[in-house]
Amino acid sequence: MAKKLVIVESPTKAKTISRFLNGDFKIESSYGHIRDLPKSKMGIDIENNFEPTYIIPTKSRKRVNELKKEAMDADEIILATDEDREGEAIAWHLTYALDIPAEKTKRIVFHEITKSAIEKALENPRKIDKKLVDSQQARRILDRLVGYELSPFLWKKVFKGLSAGRVQSVTVRLIVDREREIKKFTPQEYWSIVATLSEPTSNVGFEAGLIKRDGKIIDKFDIKTKKDADAIIKDLDNAKYKVTNIEKKEIKRSPKPPFTTSTLQQAAVNRFGMSAKQTMMIAQQLYENGFITYMRTDSLNLSNDSLKSAQKTINDMFGKKFSLTEPRRFKTKTKGAQEAHEAIRPSDSDKTPENLKRELDAKQFKIYDLIWRRFIACQMQEAIFDSTTIDIIGHRVSNGHSVSINYTFRANGSVMKFEGWLKVYPSSFKENVLPELKENELLKLIKLSPNQHFTEPPPRYSEASLIKALEEYGIGRPSTYAPTISTIQTRNYVEKNEQKKFVPTETGITVNDLLVEHFPQIVDLQFTAKIEEDLDMIAEGDIKWTPIIKEFYEPFHKNLENKYNEVEKQNNDEETDQICEKCGKPMVIKHGRFGKFMACTGFPDCKNTKTIKQEPKTIGMKCPKCLEGEVIEIRTRYKKLFFGCSRYPDCDYASWKNPMGEKSR
């Protein structure tokens, strides 16, 4: 019997596939990449059309030898790595590392690890798509050229241990630019006026906001000061309030599209506080176990089979009034989206989260539940609301006559009429029930409230909003969001504050400013997006990869050579009054990859360094255990925040939670 060898990237994926294939097949895993550029050198022959030199890393050599033996004994080798460019590149590298002849090799792809999907893929094998391989290879070479040439420049001009990257540097720039916007922001004062009104015989009030004066709309900043607000309040002294217009209409809210990589990451951050990296790790586990479709995608496509399955699930679980007669389809607006792919969805919509609860751990359940609900919701009827808008004008009685003051207030009400998709995917919505009023009906004023407001600066990026920005600017692709965000934190270019928002470190600001001044293209949003478009065109076969690399590299390298002579070493040392106890020379505060430290000015003859102890931050309460020390914020070596007693080690009080809400014990 013919032996067919199927090779995938992960053992979990191999185990799942083995459930669907009979004894003719042997399923093996490559355990990820088995060839790569060397770590010890550039590995790119710049003089020879940027030809890369690939090696088999030491950790992969044993596995490669095992796979070689299996391949020699097989009549047919089926490469079933992931469907994206990286997966295509892994398949291509396998053919070289294992010396697989072309006539024995088949390439198959599938969006989900199910019996039907695998059988369909086996019926439609193809050759390795060299265009996809070239696109992935070009990305890898570009990133290697930037990293290996620009990083040493940063070591020489700033300090050792720094790195630059084509996508990571632009991401840091977004965060630095946002921080500067916040710092230079000047709040602007403005006021609003709200009337709390009721029917004459009722004490149950509803709110209406002031929207017009003399029939002219009041803009946000028209009421600038308390004096302006008080003048309006005075105008309305002893006023009568009358309903002048009532509009009722039905409003429909459509569901959001199924998840793509970026929207899944954003939802997981917002709902569960999961990092993009953690979300993708969990999604990959769900994919490799056959529960969801491929999780690296920017497409909103849904297969016809999945749409039919969703309709049946909705009919069975919620009834026909919640399902659609025709499926709802979505078109992605993301730059360079791969429309041939599918959105992230459950492999089988009948497998509800509750059905799988015993098979999933807590975090896997959360992500699967989110994906399942989003997919089912996108094929359900719209949610319907009854919306009511009531306009009210004030009148002041003067000498027995009613005089129009020409101030118009508006109350908006909304009541859910039909849940629709909200039944399965709850969204933020608050009903506001207004009383049943009639036109020309007089109302009772309960109170008139002037409210002071100030404009706020743009918010710092969270993981969710940063991913959204990267996607909107066309920077990176689904596979790069999570590793990029992880890298800029590992490199200590940015850190998260207590609100889990990104703040640039001094190191991040220093490196960013140097790159912006001297290598503007590297950190230019439009240029970086253009590179991504070029990589997409390579994948489509519209252009070749070597001219793109050459067009980028030659001016980049020439500029870099010039900058070695032009740019002075950045000296950010801070003087101190401390003397080195080893050689007697002054100590200075230096900036390193992991923050500030103290060093001797006698370096390299004297290599004395010291850590800088920062003043502990108190939270404004006594230690609940000893009642003597102050509770202070403390960071672990991995920067995780906890709270402890300032008298440690005499008092060992510690808490992961802020004790301001805890009782003394």
Side-chain angles (χ1 to χ4, degrees), residues 4 45 82 242 332 397 400 461 474 487 525 565 578 605 638:
K4 299 178 180 180
D45 189 348
D82 288 342
K242 184 174 72 172
T332 185
V397 177
Y461 286 109
T487 296
L525 274 66
N565 297 321
Q578 293 200 34
D605 297 326
Y638 299 109

Side-chain angles (χ1 to χ4, degrees), residues 15-22 113-116 118-119 290:
K15 185 178 178 182
T16 305
I17 289 175
S18 66
R19 300 204 306 258
F20 307 122
L21 298 178
N22 60 32
I113 307 176
T114 59
K115 183 176 176 61
S116 60
I118 292 167
E119 287 176 347

Side-chain angles (χ1 to χ4, degrees), residues 332-438:
T332 185
K333 297 177 182 177
T334 305
K335 292 181 181 179
Q338 304 298 302
E339 285 300 316
H341 296 172
E342 261 199 90
I344 304 171
R345 59 168 176 83
S347 301
D348 183 353
S349 62
D350 281 342
K351 289 185 177 178
T352 67
E354 288 301 318
N355 293 152
L356 293 180
K357 201 158 192 177
R358 291 184 179 181
E359 297 183 50
L360 306 175
D361 65 30
K363 291 179 179 177
Q364 289 172 341
F365 177 81
K366 283 182 177 180
I367 296 297
Y368 182 78
D369 183 68
L370 195 62
I371 292 169
W372 184 88
R373 290 181 182 278
R374 180 80 163 232
F375 169 65
I376 293 297
C378 85
Q379 294 305 310
M380 293 176 75
Q381 288 284 357
E382 296 166 315
I384 303 174
F385 301 86
D386 281 334
S387 172
T388 304
T389 301
I390 301 175
D391 284 354
I392 300 143
I393 285 184
H395 293 263
R396 183 172 62 211
V397 177
S398 177
N399 297 324
H401 298 286
S402 179
V403 180
S404 174
I405 305 172
N406 291 326
Y407 284 110
T408 305
F409 292 80
R410 178 167 289 172
N412 294 302
S414 185
V415 179
M416 184 183 288
K417 186 177 180 181
F418 175 64
E419 283 180 286
W421 61 273
L422 288 171
K423 190 171 185 68
V424 71
Y425 195 83
S427 183
S428 56
F429 167 74
K430 186 178 180 181
E431 285 193 328
N432 182 29
V433 182
L434 296 177
E436 285 293 329
L437 302 175
K438 297 176 182 177

